[in-house]
PDB file of all heavy atoms in Angstrom:
ATOM      1  N   SER S  24      91.896 108.370 110.680  1.00 80.00           N
ATOM      2  CA  SER S  24      92.198 108.361 109.225  1.00 80.00           C
ATOM      3  C   SER S  24      92.052 109.737 108.648  1.00 80.00           C
ATOM      4  O   SER S  24      92.883 110.185 107.878  1.00 80.00           O
ATOM      5  CB  SER S  24      91.291 107.336 108.498  1.00 80.00           C
ATOM      6  OG  SER S  24      91.483 106.035 108.978  1.00 80.00           O
ATOM      7  N   LEU S  25      90.938 110.426 108.984  1.00 80.00           N
ATOM      8  CA  LEU S  25      90.633 111.716 108.368  1.00 80.00           C
ATOM      9  C   LEU S  25      91.601 112.786 108.871  1.00 80.00           C
ATOM     10  O   LEU S  25      91.855 113.759 108.127  1.00 80.00           O
ATOM     11  CB  LEU S  25      89.206 112.076 108.703  1.00 80.00           C
ATOM     12  CG  LEU S  25      88.133 111.276 107.958  1.00 80.00           C
ATOM     13  CD1 LEU S  25      86.817 111.434 108.689  1.00 80.00           C
ATOM     14  CD2 LEU S  25      88.013 111.737 106.531  1.00 80.00           C
ATOM     15  N   LYS S  26      92.089 112.689 110.057  1.00 80.00           N
ATOM     16  CA  LYS S  26      92.980 113.675 110.634  1.00 80.00           C
ATOM     17  C   LYS S  26      94.483 113.368 110.337  1.00 80.00           C
ATOM     18  O   LYS S  26      95.125 113.906 109.486  1.00 80.00           O
ATOM     19  CB  LYS S  26      92.795 113.813 112.137  1.00 80.00           C
ATOM     20  CG  LYS S  26      91.451 114.383 112.531  1.00 80.00           C
ATOM     21  CD  LYS S  26      91.357 114.428 114.040  1.00 80.00           C
ATOM     22  CE  LYS S  26      90.033 115.032 114.515  1.00 80.00           C
ATOM     23  NZ  LYS S  26      89.932 114.979 116.034  1.00 80.00           N
ATOM     24  N   LYS S  27      94.980 112.381 111.044  1.00 88.00           N
ATOM     25  CA  LYS S  27      96.412 112.098 111.044  1.00 88.00           C
ATOM     26  C   LYS S  27      96.874 111.478 109.749  1.00 88.00           C
ATOM     27  O   LYS S  27      97.913 111.874 109.185  1.00 88.00           O
ATOM     28  CB  LYS S  27      96.724 111.161 112.237  1.00 88.00           C
ATOM     29  CG  LYS S  27      98.220 110.816 112.329  1.00 88.00           C
ATOM     30  CD  LYS S  27      98.482 109.948 113.528  1.00 88.00           C
ATOM     31  CE  LYS S  27      99.960 109.516 113.627  1.00 88.00           C
ATOM     32  NZ  LYS S  27     100.227 108.677 114.801  1.00 88.00           N
ATOM     33  N   TYR S  28      96.149 110.460 109.261  1.00 91.00           N
ATOM     34  CA  TYR S  28      96.723 109.669 108.135  1.00 91.00           C
ATOM     35  C   TYR S  28      96.593 110.327 106.809  1.00 91.00           C
ATOM     36  O   TYR S  28      97.346 110.029 105.901  1.00 91.00           O
ATOM     37  CB  TYR S  28      96.090 108.264 108.141  1.00 91.00           C
ATOM     38  CG  TYR S  28      96.508 107.441 109.354  1.00 91.00           C
ATOM     39  CD1 TYR S  28      95.551 106.641 110.022  1.00 91.00           C
ATOM     40  CD2 TYR S  28      97.797 107.481 109.838  1.00 91.00           C
ATOM     41  CE1 TYR S  28      95.946 105.924 111.152  1.00 91.00           C
ATOM     42  CE2 TYR S  28      98.171 106.763 110.947  1.00 91.00           C
ATOM     43  CZ  TYR S  28      97.249 105.965 111.623  1.00 91.00           C
ATOM     44  OH  TYR S  28      97.616 105.288 112.732  1.00 91.00           O
ATOM     45  N   ASN S  29      95.605 111.179 106.608  1.00 92.00           N
ATOM     46  CA  ASN S  29      95.564 111.996 105.401  1.00 92.00           C
ATOM     47  C   ASN S  29      96.802 112.832 105.292  1.00 92.00           C
ATOM     48  O   ASN S  29      97.425 112.976 104.218  1.00 92.00           O
ATOM     49  CB  ASN S  29      94.311 112.840 105.349  1.00 92.00           C
ATOM     50  CG  ASN S  29      93.118 112.117 104.788  1.00 92.00           C
ATOM     51  OD1 ASN S  29      93.250 111.059 104.142  1.00 92.00           O
ATOM     52  ND2 ASN S  29      91.931 112.643 105.011  1.00 92.00           N
ATOM     53  N   GLN S  30      97.196 113.452 106.372  1.00 91.00           N
ATOM     54  CA  GLN S  30      98.391 114.313 106.370  1.00 91.00           C
ATOM     55  C   GLN S  30      99.651 113.490 106.131  1.00 91.00           C
ATOM     56  O   GLN S  30     100.593 113.910 105.445  1.00 91.00           O
ATOM     57  CB  GLN S  30      98.512 115.076 107.689  1.00 91.00           C
ATOM     58  CG  GLN S  30      99.603 116.103 107.719  1.00 91.00           C
ATOM     59  CD  GLN S  30      99.503 117.120 106.599  1.00 91.00           C
ATOM     60  OE1 GLN S  30      98.485 117.733 106.451  1.00 91.00           O
ATOM     61  NE2 GLN S  30     100.577 117.320 105.864  1.00 91.00           N
ATOM     62  N   LEU S  31      99.690 112.269 106.685  1.00 92.00           N
ATOM     63  CA  LEU S  31     100.841 111.396 106.499  1.00 92.00           C
ATOM     64  C   LEU S  31     101.017 111.046 104.989  1.00 92.00           C
ATOM     65  O   LEU S  31     102.136 111.031 104.484  1.00 92.00           O
ATOM     66  CB  LEU S  31     100.659 110.123 107.315  1.00 92.00           C
ATOM     67  CG  LEU S  31     101.844 109.149 107.366  1.00 92.00           C
ATOM     68  CD1 LEU S  31     103.058 109.799 108.071  1.00 92.00           C
ATOM     69  CD2 LEU S  31     101.436 107.886 108.121  1.00 92.00           C
ATOM     70  N   MET S  32      99.852 110.777 104.361  1.00 93.00           N
ATOM     71  CA  MET S  32      99.893 110.459 102.933  1.00 93.00           C
ATOM     72  C   MET S  32     100.399 111.687 102.131  1.00 93.00           C
ATOM     73  O   MET S  32     101.237 111.562 101.238  1.00 93.00           O
ATOM     74  CB  MET S  32      98.472 110.123 102.459  1.00 93.00           C
ATOM     75  CG  MET S  32      98.356 109.823 100.965  1.00 93.00           C
ATOM     76  SD  MET S  32      98.190 111.323  99.922  1.00 93.00           S
ATOM     77  CE  MET S  32      96.722 112.053 100.652  1.00 93.00           C
ATOM     78  N   LEU S  33      99.935 112.885 102.516  1.00 94.00           N
ATOM     79  CA  LEU S  33     100.405 114.101 101.811  1.00 94.00           C
ATOM     80  C   LEU S  33     101.889 114.285 101.923  1.00 94.00           C
ATOM     81  O   LEU S  33     102.567 114.591 100.959  1.00 94.00           O
ATOM     82  CB  LEU S  33      99.712 115.359 102.421  1.00 94.00           C
ATOM     83  CG  LEU S  33      98.359 115.767 101.767  1.00 94.00           C
ATOM     84  CD1 LEU S  33      97.855 117.019 102.459  1.00 94.00           C
ATOM     85  CD2 LEU S  33      98.532 116.043 100.268  1.00 94.00           C
ATOM     86  N   ASP S  34     102.397 114.047 103.122  1.00 94.00           N
ATOM     87  CA  ASP S  34     103.851 114.169 103.307  1.00 94.00           C
ATOM     88  C   ASP S  34     104.616 113.190 102.456  1.00 94.00           C
ATOM     89  O   ASP S  34     105.673 113.535 101.863  1.00 94.00           O
ATOM     90  CB  ASP S  34     104.198 113.886 104.796  1.00 94.00           C
ATOM     91  CG  ASP S  34     103.653 114.958 105.723  1.00 94.00           C
ATOM     92  OD1 ASP S  34     103.314 116.053 105.215  1.00 94.00           O
ATOM     93  OD2 ASP S  34     103.563 114.756 106.921  1.00 94.00           O
ATOM     94  N   ALA S  35     104.057 111.996 102.300  1.00 93.00           N
ATOM     95  CA  ALA S  35     104.733 110.901 101.537  1.00 93.00           C
ATOM     96  C   ALA S  35     104.759 111.285 100.040  1.00 93.00           C
ATOM     97  O   ALA S  35     105.780 111.167  99.370  1.00 93.00           O
ATOM     98  CB  ALA S  35     104.061 109.557 101.721  1.00 93.00           C
ATOM     99  N   VAL S  36     103.630 111.735  99.489  1.00 95.00           N
ATOM    100  CA  VAL S  36     103.604 111.992  98.054  1.00 95.00           C
ATOM    101  C   VAL S  36     104.415 113.229  97.653  1.00 95.00           C
ATOM    102  O   VAL S  36     104.899 113.350  96.517  1.00 95.00           O
ATOM    103  CB  VAL S  36     102.165 112.124  97.507  1.00 95.00           C
ATOM    104  CG1 VAL S  36     101.388 110.822  97.716  1.00 95.00           C
ATOM    105  CG2 VAL S  36     101.440 113.314  98.117  1.00 95.00           C
ATOM    106  N   LYS S  37     104.624 114.106  98.603  1.00 94.00           N
ATOM    107  CA  LYS S  37     105.515 115.267  98.390  1.00 94.00           C
ATOM    108  C   LYS S  37     106.961 114.834  98.300  1.00 94.00           C
ATOM    109  O   LYS S  37     107.762 115.425  97.513  1.00 94.00           O
ATOM    110  CB  LYS S  37     105.325 116.289  99.491  1.00 94.00           C
ATOM    111  CG  LYS S  37     104.035 117.083  99.444  1.00 94.00           C
ATOM    112  CD  LYS S  37     103.964 118.060 100.654  1.00 94.00           C
ATOM    113  CE  LYS S  37     102.672 118.816 100.665  1.00 94.00           C
ATOM    114  NZ  LYS S  37     102.566 119.681 101.875  1.00 94.00           N
ATOM    115  N   LYS S  38     107.344 113.850  99.097  1.00 94.00           N
ATOM    116  CA  LYS S  38     108.713 113.432  99.183  1.00 94.00           C
ATOM    117  C   LYS S  38     109.141 112.392  98.125  1.00 94.00           C
ATOM    118  O   LYS S  38     110.287 112.316  97.730  1.00 94.00           O
ATOM    119  CB  LYS S  38     108.987 112.853 100.570  1.00 94.00           C
ATOM    120  CG  LYS S  38     108.899 113.901 101.692  1.00 94.00           C
ATOM    121  CD  LYS S  38     109.125 113.240 103.020  1.00 94.00           C
ATOM    122  CE  LYS S  38     109.028 114.250 104.178  1.00 94.00           C
ATOM    123  NZ  LYS S  38     109.142 113.613 105.489  1.00 94.00           N
ATOM    124  N   ILE S  39     108.179 111.572  97.675  1.00 92.00           N
ATOM    125  CA  ILE S  39     108.481 110.458  96.789  1.00 92.00           C
ATOM    126  C   ILE S  39     107.872 110.776  95.432  1.00 92.00           C
ATOM    127  O   ILE S  39     106.679 110.817  95.287  1.00 92.00           O
ATOM    128  CB  ILE S  39     108.006 109.160  97.350  1.00 92.00           C
ATOM    129  CG1 ILE S  39     108.592 108.898  98.748  1.00 92.00           C
ATOM    130  CG2 ILE S  39     108.419 107.977  96.462  1.00 92.00           C
ATOM    131  CD1 ILE S  39     108.043 107.702  99.462  1.00 92.00           C
ATOM    132  N   LYS S  40     108.737 110.909  94.420  1.00 89.00           N
ATOM    133  CA  LYS S  40     108.316 111.365  93.130  1.00 89.00           C
ATOM    134  C   LYS S  40     107.310 110.430  92.432  1.00 89.00           C
ATOM    135  O   LYS S  40     106.358 110.855  91.811  1.00 89.00           O
ATOM    136  CB  LYS S  40     109.532 111.531  92.201  1.00 89.00           C
ATOM    137  CG  LYS S  40     109.247 111.991  90.821  1.00 89.00           C
ATOM    138  CD  LYS S  40     110.530 112.146  90.012  1.00 89.00           C
ATOM    139  CE  LYS S  40     110.235 112.615  88.608  1.00 89.00           C
ATOM    140  NZ  LYS S  40     111.454 112.735  87.793  1.00 89.00           N
ATOM    141  N   ASN S  41     107.486 109.165  92.567  1.00 91.00           N
ATOM    142  CA  ASN S  41     106.749 108.192  91.771  1.00 91.00           C
ATOM    143  C   ASN S  41     105.523 107.584  92.493  1.00 91.00           C
ATOM    144  O   ASN S  41     105.094 106.504  92.073  1.00 91.00           O
ATOM    145  CB  ASN S  41     107.649 107.101  91.211  1.00 91.00           C
ATOM    146  CG  ASN S  41     108.362 106.367  92.314  1.00 91.00           C
ATOM    147  OD1 ASN S  41     108.414 106.816  93.466  1.00 91.00           O
ATOM    148  ND2 ASN S  41     108.995 105.223  91.995  1.00 91.00           N
ATOM    149  N   ILE S  42     105.028 108.182  93.533  1.00 94.00           N
ATOM    150  CA  ILE S  42     103.803 107.712  94.125  1.00 94.00           C
ATOM    151  C   ILE S  42     102.756 108.816  94.100  1.00 94.00           C
ATOM    152  O   ILE S  42     103.090 110.035  94.169  1.00 94.00           O
ATOM    153  CB  ILE S  42     103.974 107.192  95.563  1.00 94.00           C
ATOM    154  CG1 ILE S  42     104.414 108.250  96.541  1.00 94.00           C
ATOM    155  CG2 ILE S  42     104.929 106.012  95.603  1.00 94.00           C
ATOM    156  CD1 ILE S  42     104.334 107.789  97.990  1.00 94.00           C
ATOM    157  N   TYR S  43     101.521 108.402  94.016  1.00 96.00           N
ATOM    158  CA  TYR S  43     100.365 109.305  94.028  1.00 96.00           C
ATOM    159  C   TYR S  43      99.489 108.895  95.208  1.00 96.00           C
ATOM    160  O   TYR S  43      99.641 107.775  95.696  1.00 96.00           O
ATOM    161  CB  TYR S  43      99.617 109.230  92.720  1.00 96.00           C
ATOM    162  CG  TYR S  43     100.450 109.563  91.497  1.00 96.00           C
ATOM    163  CD1 TYR S  43     101.262 108.672  90.871  1.00 96.00           C
ATOM    164  CD2 TYR S  43     100.473 110.912  91.050  1.00 96.00           C
ATOM    165  CE1 TYR S  43     102.035 109.009  89.846  1.00 96.00           C
ATOM    166  CE2 TYR S  43     101.273 111.264  89.977  1.00 96.00           C
ATOM    167  CZ  TYR S  43     102.074 110.308  89.347  1.00 96.00           C
ATOM    168  OH  TYR S  43     102.856 110.667  88.300  1.00 96.00           O
ATOM    169  N   GLY S  44      98.581 109.774  95.601  1.00 96.00           N
ATOM    170  CA  GLY S  44      97.864 109.478  96.845  1.00 96.00           C
ATOM    171  C   GLY S  44      96.367 109.585  96.720  1.00 96.00           C
ATOM    172  O   GLY S  44      95.808 110.089  95.726  1.00 96.00           O
TER     173      GLY S  44
END
Side-chain angles (χ1 to χ4, degrees):
S24 296
L25 288 162
K26 290 178 181 178
K27 180 178 179 180
Y28 293 138
N29 275 343
Q30 187 57 52
L31 188 64
M32 178 279 303
L33 269 182
D34 293 342
V36 299
K37 286 178 182 178
K38 293 177 181 178
I39 304 174
K40 181 180 179 181
N41 56 347
I42 65 170
Y43 300 85

